[in-house]
Amino acid sequence: MNQWLNPGSLWDELRDGLPIERELACRLIRATDEELPALLAAAVAVKERFHPGVITYSRKVFLPLTNLCRDYCGYCIFRRDPSDAGARTMTPEEVLEVAKAGEKLGCREALFSLGDKPELAFPEMRDTLRKLGYKSTLHYLEAMCELVLRETSLLPHANPGLLSAEWVRRLSAVCPSLGLMLESTSRALLSPGAAHDRAPDKVPARRLQTIEEAGKHQIPFTTGLLIGIGEAPDDRVDTLLAIRDLDRRYGHIQEVIVQNFRVKPAIPMASWPEPSRSEILRTAAVARLVLREMNIQAPPNLTSPGYDVLLAAGINDWGGVSPLTPDFINPEAPWPHLAELERRTEAAGQRLRHRLCVYPEFVPAVAARRGLMPDRLRAAADQQGLARAA
């Protein structure tokens, strides 16, 4: 790629919006350290064409509805078996207590995260659901989203794992947006001892099917890739291209997250190397060049200190940041304080704007529906589709 360093080279064409296909993307994601500044500059130029001068974030509460999960991913510290210390399922009273506390702090998003269908693996979860009065974890999630809608001004966003077409439709009535990390299209990660060994819900085709079902129902959808879990650089490109292909068919991908693996104690991958900062920057920059106008997010708490360097890779969103609850998926990585996030964003020449869990360009279509959820969305959104000032 050294020839690209010359004036009038491909870097200029990239800044001008040259379409990126697989071969070129695979070469870009392997850019040398010498070439990295030019790659980043091209990504920022494309970002500024579509999202000039603005970085968004969502002020949220994190609701870990249940941490019981039938999958055993090598990098996860969130999931529990019923007999494990810290295994728990939130009660409706706890859900409402956290949501109302967040509301007082200006939060507008209630992020529900939970294990994938734990009742299929654990009789203890079936007993818990029976006592709560629900048939399944998804029925319970649906009810808790409705509870938050009814009793607070927060808008639910749910990450419940794989979903059938019926459950995509049902949850879309109580959630303006849904999410599922694709993570990777690499089937090698399902091999014995790999990151997704013993994780039946991480089969790439099954996750792509859920994302496609959301597209068929025109549900604003958040997805993304998890880097550093054993995939090759080309696998990252393939994951981005799979996301792009689905969005081209349905136009429903509202956000693509570039999330980096972080080492934690007591996980199978505790001795696994974390991706370098330059790897994170390369991946985010290639995501911007491949996905162009789409919203690209990278979590600031996973690249601290110095998370503002992510702005140099062409992202336009910081994701959810909570003034109340920790990141239960990455508890070792606290959220940045909102005042500091704003200061660093403005120091990079960008304005920080508070969005809802559904991105502004998707607000009109969701708000046009009937029911309690679109009523709440219309009340929460300003004229630009961002979060209305409290």
Side-chain angles (χ1 to χ4, degrees):
M1 291 195 300
N2 290 335
Q3 69 270 24
W4 298 355
L5 295 173
N6 299 323
S9 70
L10 184 56
W11 298 118
D12 297 319
E13 296 182 57
L14 289 170
R15 286 194 293 271
D16 291 338
L18 177 73
I20 306 295
E21 297 305 332
R22 186 179 189 275
E23 182 180 1
L24 177 55
C26 289
R27 292 168 69 188
L28 291 172
I29 209 163
R30 289 182 167 85
T32 66
D33 290 344
E34 183 184 15
E35 295 160 339
L36 182 58
L39 175 65
L40 299 180
V44 169
V46 173
K47 178 267 177 190
E48 285 299 303
R49 179 176 300 125
F50 296 108
H51 306 281
V54 171
I55 306 292
T56 51
Y57 81 103
S58 176
R59 195 176 307 183
K60 71 179 181 184
V61 293
F62 195 133
L63 296 163
L65 190 63
T66 182
N67 57 11
L68 301 185
C69 184
R70 66 174 180 167
D71 293 319
Y72 292 83
C73 299
Y75 48 78
C76 184
I77 201 171
F78 175 77
R79 58 106 35 234
R80 296 286 193 281
D81 284 350
S83 59
D84 291 342
R88 67 188 302 267
T89 297
M90 296 181 75
T91 65
E93 293 76 17
E94 289 171 331
V95 168
L96 199 55
E97 180 183 5
V98 175
K100 286 186 173 181
E103 185 178 32
K104 292 178 182 178
L105 295 174
C107 296
R108 291 293 178 266
E109 175 184 353
L111 171 65
F112 284 90
S113 287
L114 54 151
D116 206 317
K117 301 175 185 63
E119 70 275 15
L120 299 182
F122 305 120
E124 295 90 340
M125 187 62 185
R126 295 195 289 273
D127 290 341
T128 296
L129 290 167
R130 187 163 48 250
K131 291 175 184 176
L132 289 167
Y134 298 96
K135 296 179 181 179
S136 70
T137 302
L138 290 177
H139 283 93
Y140 185 43
L141 169 65
E142 181 183 39
M144 292 305 96
C145 291
E146 185 176 6
L147 177 66
V148 167
L149 279 174
R150 190 172 63 246
E151 300 294 335
T152 78
S153 62
L154 272 62
L155 297 166
H157 175 89
N159 294 323
L162 298 180
L163 295 172
S164 66
E166 177 187 359
W167 273 109
V168 167
R169 178 187 58 78
R170 289 182 64 152
L171 290 176
S172 70
V174 292
C175 297
S177 56
L178 296 170
L180 175 71
M181 291 289 283
L182 177 54
E183 297 191 9
S184 179
T185 55
S186 172
R187 288 189 55 84
L189 298 180
L190 302 167
S191 302
H196 290 157
D197 181 22
R198 302 179 65 207
D201 300 295
K202 295 302 174 73
V203 174
R206 300 183 71 192
R207 299 178 84 76
L208 287 166
Q209 183 177 5
T210 293
I211 302 170
E212 183 169 19
E213 290 295 346
K216 292 176 180 178
H217 289 79
Q218 287 297 289
I219 310 305
F221 206 84
T222 291
T223 189
L225 59 166
L226 179 60
I227 69 171
I229 57 173
E231 80 291 351
D234 288 2
D235 295 327
R236 299 171 191 172
V237 169
D238 289 337
T239 304
L240 290 170
L241 292 175
I243 293 169
R244 187 182 71 177
D245 289 347
L246 283 170
D247 188 68
R248 283 179 172 177
R249 291 179 65 184
Y250 301 104
H252 69 303
I253 306 293
Q254 67 161 1
E255 175 185 42
V256 178
I257 303 171
V258 178
Q259 182 173 333
N260 50 300
F261 163 71
R262 290 287 300 264
V263 171
K264 302 167 183 62
I267 60 171
M269 295 172 64
S271 60
W272 198 264
E274 293 183 351
S276 67
R277 183 159 295 198
S278 62
E279 281 184 90
I280 299 167
L281 293 175
R282 285 178 177 82
T283 307
V286 171
R288 171 57 65 202
L289 295 173
V290 167
L291 302 176
R292 295 173 60 78
E293 74 278 4
M294 294 173 69
N295 296 299
I296 310 295
Q297 185 239 110
N301 61 316
L302 301 186
T303 311
S304 286
Y307 57 80
D308 37 335
V309 71
L310 293 167
L311 296 172
I315 69 166
N316 68 292
D317 189 81
W318 288 124
V321 177
S322 181
L324 178 67
T325 52
D327 181 350
F328 289 96
I329 306 298
N330 298 282
E332 79 289 351
W335 309 114
H337 291 291
L338 291 172
E340 179 67 8
L341 188 71
E342 183 172 25
R343 185 190 70 78
R344 292 194 183 199
T345 302
E346 291 184 349
Q350 303 287 314
R351 291 170 292 138
L352 186 66
R353 292 292 180 266
H354 181 189
R355 64 167 173 85
L356 303 171
C357 64
V358 58
Y359 274 78
E361 58 267 38
F362 293 89
V363 166
V366 180
R369 302 176 194 166
R370 295 181 179 180
L372 177 60
M373 183 274 289
D375 287 347
R376 289 285 194 258
L377 177 58
R378 289 191 294 271
D382 66 13
Q383 291 184 343
Q384 289 76 45
L386 294 165
R388 189 185 301 277

